[in-house]
Amino acid sequence: MKKTQDQAEVLTGDSGQRALLEKTLEHALTFLASLDSRSVAATASRDELLKRLDLPLAEKGESPGKIIDELVAGADAGLNASTGGRFFAWVIGGNLPAALAADWLNTAWDQNGALHATSPALGVIEEICGRWLKQLLDIPDHASFALVTGCQMSHATCLAAARNKVLADHGWDVESAGMAGAPQLQVLGSRSCHGSVERAIRLLGIGRDNLVALDADADGRLSAEALEQGLANTAGAPAIVVLQAGEINTGIYDPFEALIEIAHRHNAWVHVDGAFGLWAAASERYRHLMRGCEKADSWSTDGHKWLNVPFDCGYAFVAHPEHHRRAMSHRASYLVHDEKARDPMDYNPEWSRRGRAVSTYAALRELGRSGVARIVDNCCMHAHTLVTGIGKLDGAELLREPVINQGLVRFPDPRPDATEEDHAHRTDRVIALINATGEAFFSGSTWQGKRCMRISVCSWQTSEIDVRRSIAATRSAIATAG
Ligand SMILES: *Cc1c(COP(=O)(O)O)cnc(C)c1O
């Protein structure tokens, strides 16, 4: 039966599909070309966005071309230019050209990455990515891996493998028996551990009360004494130690060599949160920070931060593949497993899933080892110039020079009797004023009781000009603050 004109328009035949994708390409190019000149911060309020986008759910469908045009018109002013060169808030990477292009293709292919059988090509691409990433990040060859949505789910995956192993060591099969009645399992980490670790522990039924926050030195590094004491306090009970490669505020690295030796002497599993910091392994200049890290039992990192692939993309690596697999695998009679091939769902928590290896594969080929190192080195250099440049401005204070690509400044209240609260208030006010200039975008944090502005440089796009513009925007925001 021939399609009616109406259906052809809605469902898009050949020419409709081409016109639609070409129109979409134009919109995408317009957005990318605007990154240098548009406001880095979204300019539309929530109410304005709702007014443009919140239509009543339609009874009848509409033409895709009209939807795309209206989507762009409605969303544009609500977009942060986080993929450009002057976005330094949180820890957010950009989008490499080959990674973006490959991700588009991936969407057109629309493969399900659950099994080798659901997409042989994806299965193979993912296998290759796992191997390349291990080589690049100095992770042992024999480690198993998973591509997940981000470091949060990577923690959940790695800590599920850890839970399986440390409880099995105590005669408990957690996959069958669950956590109720299991030997008490504790997770030890520095006080400055990222919140995603706590969330993973809750998801796994370990519970927040079993997360032991240990003392760190002034810089935030977990101390050997604190770890030794913390593990002695567990009196031989199952334990997982979480170490940091790149602490969220300062970018510091735990002293892996010494701490992993202590943890392993106590039969604890060592998991490393290296959401962005693990990428230091790719750089000659920063690799030394990772010394000893390869002896850990699992590692989490992100693709969507420092590798600059599109959201969402994280990686999990586990040095004990059999425990990784026991924690994740599922066999059902209708699934087709390949004898030789790797089935992704044996290692990641999702069932149906996006083929997110495609953009990783493209990014790693676009960059090569030297390109990844160049991104790391450039971001660290720009972070240093930006943090120290802002720190030197009248009305600013340098709190923490970057170890890698993260650093801290604040904007103290100049009044002689100003309190910590006044300093915090003024710091937040200056951040808001910088963001309102549209020239650069930063976010706040609290470090050692001080409100501060955290500066994170993760984008391949950030240039010297971006750094200069951002320092100038900060200078004028300080002046506006009075
Ligand atoms: C970003 C980040 C996370 C969480 O990663 P997601 O990719 O957002 O899930 C965990 N730890 C650190 C240190 C981070 O910077």
Side-chain angles (χ1 to χ4, degrees):
M1 203 169 71
K2 213 164 169 300
K3 285 185 181 134
T4 65
Q5 189 61 34
D6 220 27
Q7 276 175 318
E9 204 175 292
V10 173
L11 298 172
T12 71
D14 275 351
S15 64
Q17 185 88 294
R18 171 175 295 277
L20 177 65
L21 292 183
E22 283 175 354
K23 172 199 282 294
T24 308
L25 170 67
E26 282 311 315
H27 282 307
L29 290 173
T30 303
F31 172 74
L32 293 174
S34 77
L35 286 173
D36 234 26
S37 53
R38 72 188 285 134
S39 169
V40 182
T43 52
S45 68
R46 179 174 181 273
D47 282 346
E48 284 162 346
L49 290 168
L50 282 170
K51 209 157 89 198
R52 286 173 212 162
L53 294 162
D54 188 13
L55 309 167
L57 176 63
E59 187 54 43
K60 198 165 160 288
E62 289 178 276
S63 114
K66 177 169 181 278
I67 298 165
I68 294 300
D69 286 341
E70 290 182 5
L71 184 61
V72 171
D76 192 67
L79 301 173
N80 286 326
S82 50
T83 198
R86 279 169 287 112
F87 190 90
F88 309 106
W90 304 294
V91 187
I92 290 189
N95 215 349
L96 287 161
L100 166 60
D103 203 50
W104 278 10
L105 206 50
N106 182 38
T107 301
W109 289 342
D110 193 24
Q111 303 286 286
N112 185 339
L115 301 168
H116 184 80
T118 55
S119 178
L122 276 193
V124 167
I125 292 169
E126 190 160 321
E127 230 175 288
I128 297 165
C129 284
R131 201 169 62 238
W132 285 350
L133 289 165
K134 282 188 277 180
Q135 289 170 7
L136 195 59
L137 300 172
D138 269 339
I139 287 166
D141 251 7
H142 71 273
S144 49
F145 67 92
L147 272 72
V148 292
T149 50
C151 202
Q152 171 70 77
M153 284 317 290
S154 175
H155 289 329
T157 304
C158 290
L159 294 175
R163 180 182 69 164
N164 178 288
K165 165 89 164 50
V166 296
L167 288 174
D169 289 348
H170 284 76
W172 188 266
D173 175 2
V174 71
E175 310 308 328
S176 304
M179 287 302 285
Q184 190 183 11
L185 196 178
Q186 294 201 313
V187 180
L188 296 84
S190 131
R191 211 168 279 294
S192 67
C193 245
H194 192 271
S196 55
V197 171
E198 185 259 359
R199 263 178 23 131
I201 286 168
R202 277 161 46 212
L203 281 173
L204 293 170
I206 296 170
R208 179 193 297 140
D209 289 351
N210 291 307
L211 178 59
V212 183
L214 300 174
D215 280 340
D217 68 15
D219 284 341
R221 284 181 201 87
L222 191 56
S223 75
E225 298 72 41
L227 182 60
E228 191 77 68
Q229 189 56 53
L231 284 167
N233 291 346
T234 66
I240 299 169
V241 173
V242 177
L243 301 182
Q244 303 191 85
E247 194 263 343
I248 185 77
N249 282 317
T250 62
I252 60 95
Y253 289 67
D254 279 323
F256 298 115
E257 195 92 59
L259 298 184
I260 294 175
E261 188 275 320
I262 295 168
H264 283 169
R265 183 154 38 74
H266 288 269
N267 299 317
W269 175 291
V270 178
H271 174 64
V272 176
D273 179 357
F276 54 93
L278 217 59
W279 295 88
S283 157
E284 284 294 333
R285 190 172 310 160
Y286 296 99
R287 180 173 300 148
H288 67 96
L289 296 166
M290 295 280 291
R291 197 167 299 133
C293 190
E294 73 285 352
K295 298 193 182 104
D297 299 287
S298 58
W299 303 260
S300 288
T301 192
D302 270 317
H304 56 219
K305 289 178 180 170
W306 234 352
L307 184 61
N308 281 259
V309 302
F311 287 102
D312 42 25
C313 186
Y315 314 116
F317 303 93
V318 179
H320 309 273
E322 66 289 6
H323 292 283
H324 186 181
R325 206 182 153 99
R326 270 179 223 155
M328 287 299 149
S329 185
H330 181 87
R331 301 279 138 172
S333 58
Y334 68 89
L335 297 177
V336 181
H337 297 283
D338 190 296
E339 289 285 298
K340 282 211 298 279
R342 173 184 181 275
D343 283 322
M345 76 168 267
D346 283 338
Y347 301 96
N348 56 261
E350 302 98 348
W351 198 282
S352 295
R353 62 197 272 273
R354 180 172 181 77
R356 58 179 67 85
V358 176
S359 55
T360 296
Y361 179 87
L364 291 174
R365 285 195 58 187
E366 180 175 1
L367 296 170
R369 275 181 185 274
S370 64
V372 178
R374 198 162 53 243
I375 290 187
V376 169
D377 291 349
N378 283 344
C379 287
C380 293
M381 178 184 72
H382 292 318
H384 192 266
T385 316
L386 192 51
V387 172
T388 54
I390 291 176
K392 277 188 220 130
L393 297 174
D394 271 346
E397 179 188 349
L398 174 69
L399 285 184
R400 185 67 219 208
E401 249 183 64
V403 174
I404 43 167
N405 66 329
Q406 317 264 122
L408 304 172
V409 295
R410 69 168 180 168
F411 306 101
D413 188 322
R415 291 174 301 179
D417 59 344
T419 62
E420 205 50 64
E421 205 180 319
D422 296 327
H423 297 321
H425 188 72
R426 186 177 164 95
T427 296
D428 281 330
R429 181 164 144 71
V430 174
I431 295 171
L433 286 167
I434 303 170
N435 294 350
T437 66
E439 274 286 282
F441 194 108
F442 296 95
S443 60
S445 184
T446 301
W447 183 67
Q448 298 189 342
K450 288 177 179 157
R451 189 69 186 154
C452 54
M453 180 167 98
R454 184 172 66 218
I455 298 172
S456 170
V457 185
C458 278
S459 175
W460 70 282
Q461 298 241 34
T462 300
S463 68
E464 269 169 45
I465 297 171
D466 289 320
V467 170
R468 249 180 278 140
R469 279 174 71 174
S470 305
I471 294 174
T474 306
R475 183 186 294 115
S476 73
I478 294 171
T480 310

